[in-house]
Amino acid sequence: MLGTILYGPRDVRCEEVPEPKILHPTDAIIRLSATCICGSDLWPFRGLNGVTSPMAMGHEYCGVVEEVGSAVTTVRPGQFVVGSFCISDNTSPHCRFGFQSSCEQREFMTGAQAPLARVPLADGTLVATQELPPDDLIPSLLATSDVLGTGWYAADAARVQPGSTVVVVGDGAVGLMGVLAAKQMGAGRIIAMSRHKTRQDLALEFGATDIVSERGDAGVDRIKALTDGIGADSVLECVGMKEAMTQAIRCARPGAMIGYVGVPHGVELDGQWLFFSQTGMLGGPAPVRRFLPHLIDLVLQRKIEPGKVFDLTLPLADVAEGYRAMDERRAIKTLLRV
Ligand SMILES: [Zn+2]
């Protein structure tokens, strides 16, 4: 079969790879309905995490179960499933507290930019639907696997409440999903920080009430002006760079929560400054598994359409162009047909 392998900076190839096999009795093999490229795939693509050996890329997936190991009991061949990018047993203590992304047996999914993929700990990781979903819902179901689940976690961690004022820092795919999540959670005001017209439009479509295109001091001033000088109740930090994290904290009112889901790169915070900001922070790799049943339900009931975040669709063979388009910000997120 064809699969996606990253060899080094800017060297991603679609090439012949062996089909995955059941390695452990708890594994499942799924045939993907579609797959996609994640913003986090761009870090190794850009050479920012050293790639020392060829890496099988892809961690967002949904599809039909082909085969299960002898110990798998909750999913069976023929079922449509979605799983998180974090593999978890869903039974260990952290899982039971809803932090499956810190599961004792955690692994990160790989090799999903391909027609077939092996999912370890299938019972804990995969969520099956009652029936095979219609084709037009595949992009939105795929989005629940990571990008929506991560944006949702940002909003949950930032304790978005009905009526609250929310700021979303970052207009990448996760930030846009954070807007959608905040809307679903009943936020009264959702201020999206974005300088790009197409992303601003999508943010408005997903439920943003205001757009702030300024950054830095000017951005903070705009947020303060929009919130009677108070600041936001909840801030979603969806970038992971120092400027974005600083922006997020400065836009938050004392007592606010900041949900941060951008993987930090070069972020350092001053302890005293943080102390006097009186803000709370919760972040990390999103425990998507906690939210999956609810998110899948919202998609199947057509209450949300997170699949709109895919603004480029390519065949798997053109995966390298998908990476380049996202790297150059020509595309928000690339869906790959397998
Ligand atoms: Zn991802």
Side-chain angles (χ1 to χ4, degrees):
M1 68 169 190
L2 290 176
T4 304
I5 308 286
L6 181 72
Y7 282 90
R10 294 178 202 278
D11 183 8
V12 66
R13 303 178 209 166
C14 183
E15 61 182 28
E16 200 60 37
V17 298
E19 290 194 1
K21 292 192 165 51
I22 299 279
L23 299 181
H24 304 290
T26 45
D27 289 349
I29 303 294
I30 64 165
R31 181 167 296 279
L32 282 89
S33 303
T35 182
C36 58
I37 301 171
C38 180
S40 68
D41 292 334
L42 297 179
W43 293 106
F45 178 75
R46 289 169 176 155
L48 292 165
N49 311 8
V51 178
T52 46
S53 56
M55 274 170 72
M57 301 299 288
H59 57 256
E60 303 181 48
Y61 57 97
C62 64
V64 176
V65 178
E66 283 265 306
E67 191 187 348
V68 295
S70 57
V72 174
T73 59
T74 62
V75 295
R76 56 179 188 275
Q79 276 184 320
F80 181 88
V81 291
V82 186
S84 164
F85 66 96
C86 271
I87 304 299
S88 59
D89 60 25
N90 209 26
T91 55
S92 71
H94 298 323
C95 292
R96 280 186 274 122
F97 280 113
F99 284 81
Q100 290 90 341
S101 44
S102 285
C103 174
E104 284 167 9
Q105 300 199 65
R106 179 184 70 191
E107 289 175 47
F108 289 102
M109 182 69 183
T110 58
Q113 284 162 7
L116 292 165
R118 180 178 76 91
V119 183
L121 301 178
D123 277 340
T125 303
L126 296 172
V127 177
T129 59
Q130 297 266 317
E131 292 161 25
L132 292 181
D135 274 350
D136 68 310
L137 292 184
I138 296 296
S140 287
L141 289 165
L142 175 62
T144 66
S145 170
D146 179 356
V147 65
L148 174 62
T150 297
W152 197 275
Y153 172 56
D156 183 82
R159 304 216 185 113
V160 174
Q161 312 276 339
S164 59
T165 295
V166 179
V167 167
V168 180
V169 179
D171 64 1
V174 171
L176 294 166
M177 295 292 98
V179 170
L180 183 156
K183 171 80 179 169
Q184 284 294 310
M185 293 177 192
R189 193 150 193 199
I190 304 169
I191 305 168
M193 302 192 78
S194 170
R195 298 198 287 200
H196 304 87
K197 177 79 171 84
T198 51
R199 293 164 191 244
Q200 292 174 351
D201 290 346
L202 205 46
L204 292 168
E205 204 177 326
F206 285 140
T209 52
D210 304 83
I211 301 287
V212 167
S213 55
E214 294 88 343
R215 289 189 184 177
D217 290 342
V220 175
D221 289 347
R222 281 283 293 144
I223 301 290
K224 289 281 163 70
L226 288 168
T227 57
D228 299 325
I230 299 166
D233 305 315
S234 296
V235 182
L236 282 54
E237 195 288 306
C238 307
V239 181
M241 307 291 279
K242 186 173 184 200
E243 300 70 39
M245 188 66 102
T246 307
Q247 184 95 69
I249 297 166
R250 291 180 70 199
C251 290
R253 67 164 169 80
M257 277 297 290
I258 295 150
Y260 65 108
V261 294
V263 180
H265 284 80
V267 177
E268 282 175 22
L269 299 172
D270 178 79
Q272 283 233 350
W273 178 68
L274 207 52
F275 180 80
F276 284 103
S277 77
Q278 286 200 289
T279 54
M281 302 183 74
L282 176 61
V288 174
R289 179 63 184 81
R290 189 203 318 170
F291 309 115
L292 266 182
H294 179 53
L295 300 180
I296 291 170
D297 228 43
L298 289 174
V299 169
L300 292 176
Q301 291 176 37
R302 298 184 185 270
K303 289 187 174 157
I304 56 172
E305 202 182 333
K308 281 185 185 159
V309 78
F310 296 108
D311 59 346
L312 177 63
T313 298
L314 293 172
L316 180 64
D318 295 340
V319 65
E321 167 55 16
Y323 276 76
R324 285 193 296 269
M326 285 172 63
D327 181 44
E328 294 160 17
R329 288 179 73 88
R330 285 183 279 120
I332 299 171
K333 194 168 175 69
T334 308
L335 184 135
L336 301 165
R337 292 268 169 223
V338 288

mmCIF file of all heavy atoms in Angstrom, residues 7 31 68 70 92 98 127-128 145 151 153 170 178 184-185 213 256 277 282 284 291 298 301 326:
data_model
loop_
_atom_site.group_PDB
_atom_site.id
_atom_site.type_symbol
_atom_site.label_atom_id
_atom_site.label_comp_id
_atom_site.label_asym_id
_atom_site.label_seq_id
_atom_site.Cartn_x
_atom_site.Cartn_y
_atom_site.Cartn_z
ATOM 1 N N TYR A 7 11.353 11.823 5.746
ATOM 2 C CA TYR A 7 12.767 11.445 5.791
ATOM 3 C C TYR A 7 13.643 12.496 6.451
ATOM 4 O O TYR A 7 14.699 12.208 6.961
ATOM 5 C CB TYR A 7 13.281 11.162 4.366
ATOM 6 C CG TYR A 7 12.859 9.801 3.874
ATOM 7 C CD1 TYR A 7 11.657 9.637 3.184
ATOM 8 C CD2 TYR A 7 13.633 8.678 4.122
ATOM 9 C CE1 TYR A 7 11.251 8.386 2.750
ATOM 10 C CE2 TYR A 7 13.235 7.424 3.700
ATOM 11 C CZ TYR A 7 12.041 7.280 3.009
ATOM 12 O OH TYR A 7 11.645 6.041 2.602
ATOM 13 N N ARG A 31 -9.417 0.371 8.053
ATOM 14 C CA ARG A 31 -9.294 0.926 6.699
ATOM 15 C C ARG A 31 -9.812 2.349 6.771
ATOM 16 O O ARG A 31 -10.989 2.580 7.082
ATOM 17 C CB ARG A 31 -10.095 0.094 5.699
ATOM 18 C CG ARG A 31 -9.982 0.608 4.267
ATOM 19 C CD ARG A 31 -10.503 -0.396 3.252
ATOM 20 N NE ARG A 31 -9.727 -1.630 3.218
ATOM 21 C CZ ARG A 31 -8.561 -1.785 2.552
ATOM 22 N NH1 ARG A 31 -8.053 -0.784 1.852
ATOM 23 N NH2 ARG A 31 -7.934 -2.943 2.585
ATOM 24 N N VAL A 68 -9.444 -7.416 14.131
ATOM 25 C CA VAL A 68 -9.104 -7.094 15.524
ATOM 26 C C VAL A 68 -8.293 -8.238 16.128
ATOM 27 O O VAL A 68 -8.417 -9.392 15.709
ATOM 28 C CB VAL A 68 -10.363 -6.835 16.404
ATOM 29 C CG1 VAL A 68 -11.109 -5.601 15.936
ATOM 30 C CG2 VAL A 68 -11.265 -8.049 16.457
ATOM 31 N N SER A 70 -7.108 -10.820 19.286
ATOM 32 C CA SER A 70 -7.946 -11.774 20.027
ATOM 33 C C SER A 70 -8.488 -11.205 21.338
ATOM 34 O O SER A 70 -9.484 -11.690 21.858
ATOM 35 C CB SER A 70 -7.147 -13.045 20.305
ATOM 36 O OG SER A 70 -5.965 -12.692 21.022
ATOM 37 N N SER A 92 -7.142 3.190 33.166
ATOM 38 C CA SER A 92 -6.170 3.531 34.211
ATOM 39 C C SER A 92 -6.643 4.795 34.943
ATOM 40 O O SER A 92 -7.540 5.492 34.468
ATOM 41 C CB SER A 92 -4.778 3.713 33.608
ATOM 42 O OG SER A 92 -4.737 4.895 32.847
ATOM 43 N N GLY A 98 -10.504 11.464 33.242
ATOM 44 C CA GLY A 98 -10.742 12.186 31.990
ATOM 45 C C GLY A 98 -9.485 12.728 31.346
ATOM 46 O O GLY A 98 -9.555 13.580 30.467
ATOM 47 N N VAL A 127 -13.908 4.569 19.292
ATOM 48 C CA VAL A 127 -15.332 4.737 19.567
ATOM 49 C C VAL A 127 -16.073 4.371 18.282
ATOM 50 O O VAL A 127 -15.789 4.935 17.217
ATOM 51 C CB VAL A 127 -15.663 6.190 19.973
ATOM 52 C CG1 VAL A 127 -17.164 6.369 20.178
ATOM 53 C CG2 VAL A 127 -14.896 6.571 21.238
ATOM 54 N N ALA A 128 -16.984 3.408 18.371
ATOM 55 C CA ALA A 128 -17.717 2.952 17.184
ATOM 56 C C ALA A 128 -19.055 3.665 17.072
ATOM 57 O O ALA A 128 -19.654 4.037 18.087
ATOM 58 C CB ALA A 128 -17.947 1.444 17.280
ATOM 59 N N SER A 145 -11.244 13.511 15.617
ATOM 60 C CA SER A 145 -10.114 12.677 16.051
ATOM 61 C C SER A 145 -8.975 13.460 16.701
ATOM 62 O O SER A 145 -8.253 12.944 17.539
ATOM 63 C CB SER A 145 -9.602 11.904 14.835
ATOM 64 O OG SER A 145 -8.389 11.260 15.086
ATOM 65 N N GLY A 151 -9.410 21.594 20.081
ATOM 66 C CA GLY A 151 -10.057 22.894 20.272
ATOM 67 C C GLY A 151 -11.100 22.815 21.385
ATOM 68 O O GLY A 151 -11.265 23.749 22.183
ATOM 69 N N TYR A 153 -11.062 20.731 23.934
ATOM 70 C CA TYR A 153 -10.332 20.653 25.214
ATOM 71 C C TYR A 153 -9.866 22.043 25.648
ATOM 72 O O TYR A 153 -9.946 22.396 26.831
ATOM 73 C CB TYR A 153 -9.139 19.710 25.074
ATOM 74 C CG TYR A 153 -8.204 19.691 26.268
ATOM 75 C CD1 TYR A 153 -8.679 19.400 27.548
ATOM 76 C CD2 TYR A 153 -6.847 19.960 26.113
ATOM 77 C CE1 TYR A 153 -7.824 19.373 28.639
ATOM 78 C CE2 TYR A 153 -5.979 19.927 27.201
ATOM 79 C CZ TYR A 153 -6.475 19.647 28.467
ATOM 80 O OH TYR A 153 -5.623 19.623 29.541
ATOM 81 N N GLY A 170 -4.956 32.567 18.023
ATOM 82 C CA GLY A 170 -4.532 31.591 17.019
ATOM 83 C C GLY A 170 -5.666 31.289 16.062
ATOM 84 O O GLY A 170 -6.748 30.907 16.490
ATOM 85 N N GLY A 178 -11.665 25.836 18.316
ATOM 86 C CA GLY A 178 -11.904 26.402 19.647
ATOM 87 C C GLY A 178 -13.078 27.370 19.615
ATOM 88 O O GLY A 178 -13.882 27.426 20.554
ATOM 89 N N GLN A 184 -20.586 26.180 21.021
ATOM 90 C CA GLN A 184 -21.410 25.059 21.495
ATOM 91 C C GLN A 184 -21.599 25.094 23.006
ATOM 92 O O GLN A 184 -22.608 24.647 23.525
ATOM 93 C CB GLN A 184 -20.764 23.721 21.106
ATOM 94 C CG GLN A 184 -20.925 23.362 19.646
ATOM 95 C CD GLN A 184 -22.373 23.110 19.278
ATOM 96 O OE1 GLN A 184 -23.073 22.361 19.945
ATOM 97 N NE2 GLN A 184 -22.845 23.750 18.220
ATOM 98 N N MET A 185 -20.595 25.596 23.714
ATOM 99 C CA MET A 185 -20.670 25.647 25.180
ATOM 100 C C MET A 185 -21.442 26.874 25.665
ATOM 101 O O MET A 185 -21.546 27.103 26.865
ATOM 102 C CB MET A 185 -19.257 25.636 25.775
ATOM 103 C CG MET A 185 -18.539 24.306 25.541
ATOM 104 S SD MET A 185 -16.839 24.344 26.163
ATOM 105 C CE MET A 185 -16.187 22.831 25.429
ATOM 106 N N SER A 213 -7.719 41.975 14.806
ATOM 107 C CA SER A 213 -6.583 41.675 13.933
ATOM 108 C C SER A 213 -5.267 42.214 14.497
ATOM 109 O O SER A 213 -4.202 41.833 14.038
ATOM 110 C CB SER A 213 -6.839 42.216 12.524
ATOM 111 O OG SER A 213 -7.119 43.591 12.604
ATOM 112 N N ALA A 256 -9.501 34.450 35.522
ATOM 113 C CA ALA A 256 -9.810 33.745 34.274
ATOM 114 C C ALA A 256 -9.005 32.454 34.179
ATOM 115 O O ALA A 256 -8.005 32.271 34.865
ATOM 116 C CB ALA A 256 -9.478 34.636 33.080
ATOM 117 N N SER A 277 -0.704 38.003 37.610
ATOM 118 C CA SER A 277 -1.775 37.957 36.601
ATOM 119 C C SER A 277 -3.027 37.299 37.188
ATOM 120 O O SER A 277 -4.133 37.489 36.689
ATOM 121 C CB SER A 277 -1.319 37.174 35.363
ATOM 122 O OG SER A 277 -1.360 35.772 35.598
ATOM 123 N N LEU A 282 -4.518 25.556 32.237
ATOM 124 C CA LEU A 282 -4.587 24.102 32.072
ATOM 125 C C LEU A 282 -4.410 23.819 30.590
ATOM 126 O O LEU A 282 -5.052 24.449 29.758
ATOM 127 C CB LEU A 282 -5.942 23.564 32.570
ATOM 128 C CG LEU A 282 -6.194 22.070 32.373
ATOM 129 C CD1 LEU A 282 -5.173 21.214 33.110
ATOM 130 C CD2 LEU A 282 -7.603 21.707 32.845
ATOM 131 N N GLY A 284 -1.935 21.101 27.656
ATOM 132 C CA GLY A 284 -1.320 19.811 27.378
ATOM 133 C C GLY A 284 -1.978 19.105 26.210
ATOM 134 O O GLY A 284 -2.888 19.650 25.578
ATOM 135 N N PHE A 291 -13.941 13.376 25.042
ATOM 136 C CA PHE A 291 -14.986 14.133 24.336
ATOM 137 C C PHE A 291 -15.568 13.398 23.128
ATOM 138 O O PHE A 291 -16.606 13.795 22.607
ATOM 139 C CB PHE A 291 -14.417 15.480 23.860
ATOM 140 C CG PHE A 291 -13.720 16.257 24.948
ATOM 141 C CD1 PHE A 291 -12.355 16.513 24.883
ATOM 142 C CD2 PHE A 291 -14.426 16.711 26.057
ATOM 143 C CE1 PHE A 291 -11.710 17.222 25.886
ATOM 144 C CE2 PHE A 291 -13.784 17.424 27.065
ATOM 145 C CZ PHE A 291 -12.421 17.677 26.980
ATOM 146 N N LEU A 298 -22.682 14.983 18.024
ATOM 147 C CA LEU A 298 -23.021 16.306 17.481
ATOM 148 C C LEU A 298 -22.881 16.310 15.956
ATOM 149 O O LEU A 298 -23.681 16.924 15.253
ATOM 150 C CB LEU A 298 -22.110 17.385 18.078
ATOM 151 C CG LEU A 298 -22.328 17.748 19.552
ATOM 152 C CD1 LEU A 298 -21.249 18.731 20.026
ATOM 153 C CD2 LEU A 298 -23.717 18.367 19.755
ATOM 154 N N GLN A 301 -25.697 14.161 14.345
ATOM 155 C CA GLN A 301 -26.974 14.892 14.391
ATOM 156 C C GLN A 301 -26.933 16.180 13.567
ATOM 157 O O GLN A 301 -27.876 16.975 13.598
ATOM 158 C CB GLN A 301 -27.311 15.252 15.835
ATOM 159 C CG GLN A 301 -27.663 14.048 16.695
ATOM 160 C CD GLN A 301 -27.887 14.472 18.145
ATOM 161 O OE1 GLN A 301 -28.434 15.528 18.416
ATOM 162 N NE2 GLN A 301 -27.424 13.649 19.070
ATOM 163 N N MET A 326 0.112 23.821 3.669
ATOM 164 C CA MET A 326 -0.122 24.236 5.058
ATOM 165 C C MET A 326 1.074 25.012 5.597
ATOM 166 O O MET A 326 0.920 26.010 6.292
ATOM 167 C CB MET A 326 -0.421 23.018 5.940
ATOM 168 C CG MET A 326 -1.828 22.480 5.712
ATOM 169 S SD MET A 326 -2.160 20.917 6.550
ATOM 170 C CE MET A 326 -1.978 21.375 8.280
#
